[in-house]
Amino acid sequence: MNWENLPILIILCLSVIGNNHSVSIAALILLLIKLLGFHTWFPYIEDHGISIGITILTLAVLTPIAQGRISIGGILEAFKTPIGLVAIFVGILVAWIAAQGVFFMKESPEAVTALVVGTIVGVCFFQGLAVGPLIAGGMVSLIISAIGLFKN
């Protein structure tokens, strides 16, 4: 048995047990890429996968606007209600935190494994979404920065 396939097989099994189709499909595709010998695809997926995924997610979020179900008037209404204003603020905050996560994950590869494990557990067993590593990375970055400030 090839032991280097064990982690992705464990993730595949956990995602099936946790009934998370997104992680199951992703793990299965990566396992197939590896088993079929398409190793040259891994660097491309690693380098561009987040951007491609964010683009697809953004397409889904913008679809109601493109379909005309959300108009300019509807967008302007968001600025008139407390819920809308809080949602705008939280959207800005989370987007900024996620950007910090991308930077942190590039600068701190030792944290990536822990973030991935936490995300997989959250996705498979707590009905979370796999966008967690970016936000989690940003939050870890902010916490580490805060702790660094407190030590001075």
Side-chain angles (χ1 to χ4, degrees):
M1 177 178 172
N2 188 347
W3 290 103
E4 70 182 30
N5 292 333
L6 188 59
I8 199 75
L9 284 170
I10 291 171
I11 291 167
L12 179 58
C13 291
L14 289 174
S15 63
V16 169
I17 292 167
N19 198 29
N20 190 291
H21 302 293
S22 298
V23 175
S24 297
I25 292 167
L28 184 60
I29 289 171
L30 291 171
L31 186 60
L32 287 173
I33 288 171
K34 188 170 187 177
L35 293 175
L36 294 173
F38 297 119
H39 297 120
T40 58
W41 293 11
F42 285 136
Y44 184 82
I45 294 168
E46 188 174 11
D47 291 344
H48 303 289
I50 290 175
S51 294
I52 293 167
I54 290 171
T55 300
I56 292 169
L57 181 61
T58 303
L59 279 169
V61 170
L62 294 178
T63 297
I65 295 171
Q67 291 177 321
R69 291 187 309 179
I70 298 176
S71 65
I72 291 292
I75 293 170
L76 294 175
E77 286 296 315
F79 290 93
K80 296 180 181 177
T81 67
I83 292 172
L85 290 172
V86 169
I88 291 168
F89 172 76
V90 170
I92 292 168
L93 181 64
V94 169
W96 180 78
I97 290 172
Q100 304 307 303
V102 171
F103 175 76
F104 176 74
M105 290 170 75
K106 287 181 181 176
E107 297 296 317
S108 304
E110 70 278 5
V112 173
T113 302
L115 290 169
V116 169
V117 169
T119 299
I120 290 167
V121 170
V123 167
C124 291
F125 299 106
F126 297 99
Q127 279 64 53
L129 295 175
V131 295
L134 297 178
I135 297 168
M139 292 174 73
V140 171
S141 174
L142 293 174
I143 292 167
I144 296 301
S145 295
I147 290 171
L149 291 174
F150 291 136
K151 288 183 179 180
N152 290 333

